[in-house]
Amino acid sequence: MTTEHDQRQPRVVLIIIALMLGMLLASLDQTIVSTALPTIVSDLGGLEQLSWVVTGYLLASTVSTPLWGKLGDQYGRKHLFLAAIVIFLIGSVLCGLSQNMTQLILFRAIQGLGGGGLMVLAQAIVGDVVPVRERGRYQGWFGAVFAVSSITGPLLGGLFVDHLSWHWVFFINLPLGALALFVIAAVLPGSANRTKHKIDYAGIVLLGAATSCLVLMTTWGGTTYPWSSPVIIGLIAAALVMLAAWVVVEKRAAEPVMPLRLFRLRAFNMSSIIGFVVGFGMFGAMTYLPLFMQIVHGVSPTASGLHLLPMMVGVLGTSILSGQLIAKTGHYRMYPILGTAIATVGMFLLSLLDEHSSTLTMSLYLFVLGAGLGLVMQVLVIIVQNAAPYRDLGVATSGATFFRSIGSSFGVAILGSVFTARLNDDIAELAGRTTFPPGFTPAAVQSDPTTLQRLPPELAADFLHVYADSIARVFLVATPVLFVAFLLTWFIPEQPLKQTVGASDLGEGLGTASAERSSLEEVERGLVQLAHADLRRDYYRRLGQLAGLEELSPQGVWIVARLGAHGGWMRATELAERGQVSRAEGRPYVDQTVAAGLVRRSTDGNSLRLTPEGERIHERLLLHHRAGLRLLVADWGPDPELNALVDRVSPQLLGSKTDAP
């Protein structure tokens, strides 16, 4: 077990930084390309394939996440994390060297495969190197990584394009990833803990393949191929066959990737559908808004990233606010209802944008959309966790995140088809009523939008209107989709909020990849966060009263708890350091425990340990502490595994330096 003393050592600090860096790279690559896409299209061509640059990454990372989590449990996370970094870096190099859109899409999928491992394994490794008492704080840091990457991704992408080239959107991963690779390889110890799994390979492959077929069908249907073409019909048939096979496989799997019994829960079904739509709307908007700003309004990639900030500020602000209000009130149903209503209005307002819209107008509309999405994203994970039985808590959480991630893939792909179809129609209509200059073809504008800058002003204005209308159609089509989500939110049942569920991570709401935690790990995460907050609120005074130690100060109670957790002799200087006081400042409280017969000093006065009476009092303190923790998990029902969890973590939570009174 890693001790708090170990945690202060540079080695553990380096590990945490490297893990956060790996997760930051993986989460940034979900959004960093959005502002670079117009430039990439201008260089490589293939405007109709633009959506797959985003979709390829999202699909690969989403589908691979369960596999990374199970393999890490079974074979050790260190080597799997190193493999994920290597795959991610290989994909990054190949993306930066791509010569056409087909290559870029393929290499983005390779990058996403590694990115899925980075996100899920980084969070899991924290549990291997950080003591229970400190995990809540570090998990909060990892949640913040998702928030930071969501806000800064588009801005960084624009900066790289403006000041270097679009290739550096991918090449920047190399030095940062190499640093993480070196630190993890050199410093992270291998874990001896192994959890045997019967990995549902067939379920993962079938679900991923069926999803890919459906995304391809929605991307190509009506644009690349007619809806009645053999290709589209074949994709539909293949998806249906694989989904049917997946159902059969999941019924027989020992550890199904997504147990079918989850679909009997109305809360899970509604939350999954709504999460799908939220991902659909958020990533659809983030992909096509930079295109609108850079082509129609002529702003730089960096400026287009700045213009997206109001949306991300809205998402982050209302996510934090809704999470705090739910934890305080215990009620959650109103937030997805309100959020989807606001998001629907925001998406409709975006459909009204044209080439004459002001920056202030765009910012306001984007903030409205972001505020609505933020009210929903944080809450959906809470709804699912609160409704799922204990045995399905872990898979229900990852399942809800899976559908949001798949929604992101579908949103970018489907809205990309809408954009391409509308653009083709508008250009065909423009060609029928306009005489183009000699040597000019509309296809040139479709393959490279920057050619608009070289057209006569009147013709350029016509094409700007065509692009504005095509992108506005994207938001207009997304509006009724969000409205359907609003209708579905009324069917979400509200149940009494379980205490550990109320301690949900911000990262769970914002990330598109869930930490593949077991049910026990999910409860432990919430329990530790609740205990962490309670231990800092006059806890030792209350604990002392429960144990009948009214004559002992809270500081004295803390000393007994700390010495009991340490066991044997403890140096007085170390105790003072853990109490975050000088030895002189702590001496009166030690004297108090010595006078009470609970602690005795060594002959040189430099070490302390509990007396037999002190050990008896420590056991009483631990008994009351354990009883309080059991109340926090009681709403999951009686379960031997949860009782064992409380017995295991309760001694580790008492006497930490972070809760010294």
Side-chain angles (χ1 to χ4, degrees):
M1 173 64 66
T2 305
T3 66
E4 291 177 355
H5 178 69
D6 291 332
Q7 181 190 329
R8 293 194 300 271
Q9 293 177 346
R11 185 186 70 161
V12 176
V13 174
L14 282 174
I15 292 172
I16 295 298
I17 292 173
L19 293 175
M20 292 179 66
L21 184 58
M23 179 179 285
L24 178 64
L25 291 175
S27 55
L28 268 178
D29 269 77
Q30 296 174 344
T31 59
I32 196 171
V33 300
S34 59
T35 45
L37 284 176
T39 305
I40 292 173
V41 169
S42 297
D43 189 13
L44 301 183
L47 180 64
E48 70 283 354
Q49 297 174 292
L50 174 146
S51 62
W52 273 95
V53 179
V54 179
T55 300
Y57 184 91
L58 291 175
L59 265 181
S61 62
T62 301
V63 172
S64 66
T65 294
L67 188 58
W68 283 112
K70 293 288 178 64
L71 289 175
D73 287 345
Q74 189 157 319
Y75 299 109
R77 299 186 180 102
K78 176 178 179 177
H79 298 299
L80 266 294
F81 191 73
L82 293 174
I85 295 177
V86 170
I87 293 171
F88 181 81
L89 293 182
I90 290 173
S92 297
V93 171
L94 294 174
C95 285
L97 298 175
S98 298
Q99 300 299 306
N100 55 59
M101 287 293 275
T102 301
Q103 290 181 7
L104 180 59
I105 291 166
L106 174 63
F107 300 148
R108 279 284 284 172
I110 295 173
Q111 194 186 31
L113 181 64
L118 290 179
M119 285 189 279
V120 68
L121 292 172
Q123 296 177 79
I125 291 172
V126 172
D128 295 336
V129 298
V130 176
V132 169
R133 180 65 177 85
E134 301 299 321
R135 285 179 198 166
R137 178 159 58 99
Y138 285 109
Q139 286 166 348
W141 290 7
F142 280 85
V145 168
F146 283 113
V148 170
S149 63
S150 299
I151 292 175
T152 61
L155 180 59
L156 287 175
L159 286 170
F160 287 132
V161 170
D162 280 339
H163 298 287
L164 295 169
S165 73
W166 68 262
H167 304 276
W168 277 95
V169 169
F170 305 107
F171 289 156
I172 191 60
N173 294 330
L174 300 182
L176 300 178
L179 176 62
L181 182 70
F182 173 78
V183 171
I184 294 299
V187 180
L188 180 66
S191 174
N193 297 325
R194 297 288 189 272
T195 302
K196 286 293 183 181
H197 290 289
K198 293 185 178 179
I199 300 176
D200 184 16
Y201 291 106
I204 293 171
V205 170
L206 287 170
L207 186 59
T211 303
S212 300
C213 286
L214 291 173
V215 173
L216 282 171
M217 179 267 294
T218 55
T219 304
W220 290 343
T223 54
T224 306
Y225 301 99
W227 284 105
S228 58
S229 69
V231 173
I232 300 301
I233 294 174
L235 286 172
I236 295 173
L240 292 175
V241 169
M242 283 186 283
L243 284 174
W246 176 75
V247 170
V248 174
V249 166
E250 295 303 273
K251 287 181 178 179
R252 299 176 179 177
E255 296 183 40
V257 64
M258 195 177 300
L260 298 179
R261 58 180 175 270
L262 287 176
F263 296 98
R264 301 189 195 118
L265 297 174
R266 188 173 69 179
F268 179 80
N269 292 333
M270 293 299 103
S271 296
S272 297
I273 297 172
I274 295 164
F276 180 97
V277 174
V278 166
F280 186 107
M282 180 174 176
F283 274 83
M286 288 183 66
T287 301
Y288 291 97
L289 279 167
L291 193 68
F292 178 86
M293 296 170 191
Q294 292 180 40
I295 295 177
V296 178
H297 283 266
V299 304
S300 68
T302 301
S304 68
L306 287 171
H307 286 322
L308 284 175
L309 285 180
M311 173 181 167
M312 301 316 302
V313 168
V315 169
L316 182 60
T318 54
S319 291
I320 295 173
L321 178 63
S322 61
Q324 291 177 342
L325 290 175
I326 290 169
K328 183 177 181 179
T329 66
H331 297 290
Y332 53 80
R333 185 170 176 264
M334 62 174 289
Y335 298 103
I337 295 174
L338 182 62
T340 49
I342 295 173
T344 301
V345 171
M347 191 66 78
F348 175 73
L349 291 174
L350 288 175
S351 73
L352 302 178
L353 294 176
D354 59 25
E355 62 271 31
H356 306 296
S357 300
S358 68
T359 299
L360 179 61
T361 299
M362 284 192 295
S363 298
L364 179 62
Y365 292 175
L366 283 169
F367 179 79
V368 173
L369 176 64
L373 293 174
L375 282 172
V376 185
M377 294 174 69
Q378 173 75 349
V379 181
L380 292 178
V381 174
I382 294 175
I383 293 171
V384 168
Q385 290 183 332
N386 199 54
Y390 170 69
R391 65 171 178 166
D392 292 332
L393 178 60
V395 290
T397 303
S398 57
T401 312
F402 172 84
F403 281 106
R404 185 169 69 241
S405 303
I406 293 300
S408 303
S409 302
F410 271 84
V412 176
I414 293 173
L415 296 180
S417 298
V418 171
F419 167 72
T420 302
R422 184 68 174 183
L423 184 66
N424 291 337
D425 291 343
D426 282 355
I427 288 180
E429 190 272 335
L430 180 63
R433 59 180 173 81
T434 304
T435 301
F436 296 131
F440 172 80
T441 60
V445 176
Q446 289 175 275
S447 62
D448 183 2
T450 60
T451 57
L452 289 172
Q453 301 167 6
R454 299 188 290 273
L455 294 178
E458 186 175 339
L459 184 59
D462 287 336
F463 273 101
L464 286 178
H465 179 75
V466 164
Y467 268 97
D469 179 66
S470 301
I471 298 172
R473 177 57 61 94
V474 166
F475 304 128
L476 186 62
V477 169
T479 299
V481 177
L482 283 173
F483 183 72
V484 169
F486 166 71
L487 296 178
L488 291 174
T489 57
W490 292 92
F491 294 95
I492 293 176
E494 181 153 36
Q495 302 169 359
L497 188 66
K498 295 181 175 71
Q499 294 191 70
T500 55
V501 170
S504 179
D505 285 333
L506 174 64
E508 291 286 276
L510 294 182
T512 58
S514 170
E516 291 287 310
R517 291 186 286 257
S518 67
S519 296
L520 184 65
E521 290 167 336
E522 285 287 351
V523 175
E524 179 181 314
R525 176 196 56 80
L527 176 65
V528 169
Q529 287 186 349
L530 290 172
H532 179 78
D534 193 37
L535 284 163
R536 298 170 68 89
R537 291 195 292 260
D538 199 26
Y539 182 78
Y540 289 91
R541 180 188 61 80
R542 290 180 279 127
L543 184 62
Q545 289 177 343
L546 288 172
L549 299 175
E550 288 84 357
E551 76 284 356
L552 208 61
S553 66
Q555 291 85 352
V557 175
W558 182 88
I559 289 171
V560 173
R562 179 64 259 167
L563 290 175
H566 181 81
W569 290 100
M570 183 176 188
R571 295 189 62 81
T573 52
E574 183 182 349
L575 180 66
E577 182 184 347
R578 289 181 182 274
Q580 302 182 83
V581 296
S582 68
R583 187 172 174 183
E585 290 172 325
R587 184 173 290 113
Y589 304 112
V590 173
D591 291 343
Q592 184 186 58
T593 60
V594 172
L598 305 179
V599 173
R600 67 187 179 97
R601 289 187 170 96
S602 61
T603 53
D604 61 5
N606 291 325
S607 298
L608 305 165
R609 72 175 300 168
L610 293 181
T611 64
E613 175 64 12
E615 292 176 355
R616 187 180 67 82
I617 291 298
H618 174 260
E619 286 300 319
R620 191 191 304 171
L621 292 174
L622 197 57
L623 181 67
H624 288 287
H625 175 57
R626 191 179 292 126
L629 294 182
R630 284 213 169 94
L631 288 176
L632 295 178
V633 300
D635 44 20
W636 290 107
D639 190 286
E641 194 173 50
L642 293 178
N643 289 334
L645 167 67
V646 171
D647 291 340
R648 174 170 56 84
V649 304
S650 52
Q652 302 173 48
L653 296 177
L654 278 183
S656 169
K657 77 172 192 176
T658 57
D659 55 58

